[in-house]
Amino acid sequence: MGGERNKVFTLAEVSQHNNVKDCWLVIHGKVYNVTKFLEDHPGGDDVLLSSTGKDATNDFEDIGHSTSAVAMMDEFYVGDIDSSTIPSKVKYTPPKQPHYNQDKTPEFIIRILQFLVPLFILGLAVGIRFYTKST
């Protein structure tokens, strides 16, 4: 088991272990086989499964695990990650925005008129009632 502790994995190798029967995570440059822990994880197995195939360090740190949880990780350690296989920066691509469609402008005007016309008719009816009642 001592030789296994020094094993170095690529991200591609670790990424293959991404299901409930075989789940590996990369946290702080180390590889952990958390398959046996999936059922016991307080956040559920979906949380762990969603962190496979990438460096899960940020996911792990964002939660704020207890010292006992961090100590527990040693029993799941299987090796180290080859840091050159982890992308240093993920390129951000903003979501595509729909183009402004000028054809929708009349639809906006129709909605305003649907609100204002009944309001005008109500005001007219109240005005007629008010003036006819006073005479």
Side-chain angles (χ1 to χ4, degrees), residues 10-132:
T10 65
L11 186 60
E13 291 173 319
V14 175
S15 296
Q16 294 173 357
H17 305 273
N18 60 1
N19 58 61
V20 291
K21 295 183 185 206
D22 188 22
C23 181
W24 290 17
L25 297 177
V26 177
I27 301 171
H28 296 296
K30 296 180 179 180
V31 180
Y32 300 93
N33 180 351
V34 295
T35 309
K36 294 178 182 175
F37 186 64
L38 287 175
E39 290 181 16
D40 298 327
H41 187 261
D45 60 354
D46 290 340
V47 174
L48 296 176
L49 289 169
S50 69
S51 296
T52 60
K54 63 178 183 175
D55 184 353
T57 302
N58 288 339
D59 295 343
F60 181 81
E61 291 297 326
D62 286 346
I63 300 302
H65 288 86
S66 66
T67 53
S68 61
V70 174
M72 186 188 300
M73 292 171 59
D74 289 339
E75 69 183 87
F76 301 109
Y77 175 79
V78 292
D80 294 317
I81 189 74
D82 180 359
S83 59
S84 67
T85 62
I86 296 177
S88 58
K89 185 178 179 185
V90 177
K91 183 182 175 191
Y92 174 74
T93 54
K96 293 185 179 182
Q97 297 289 329
H99 294 298
Y100 178 70
N101 188 352
Q102 292 182 351
D103 293 337
K104 291 189 177 182
T105 304
E107 187 176 295
F108 176 70
I109 293 171
I110 290 171
R111 288 184 182 245
I112 289 177
L113 289 176
Q114 285 176 337
F115 175 74
L116 292 178
V117 169
L119 200 60
F120 175 75
I121 293 171
L122 180 64
L124 186 64
V126 169
I128 290 172
R129 173 77 174 152
F130 179 76
Y131 286 117
T132 57

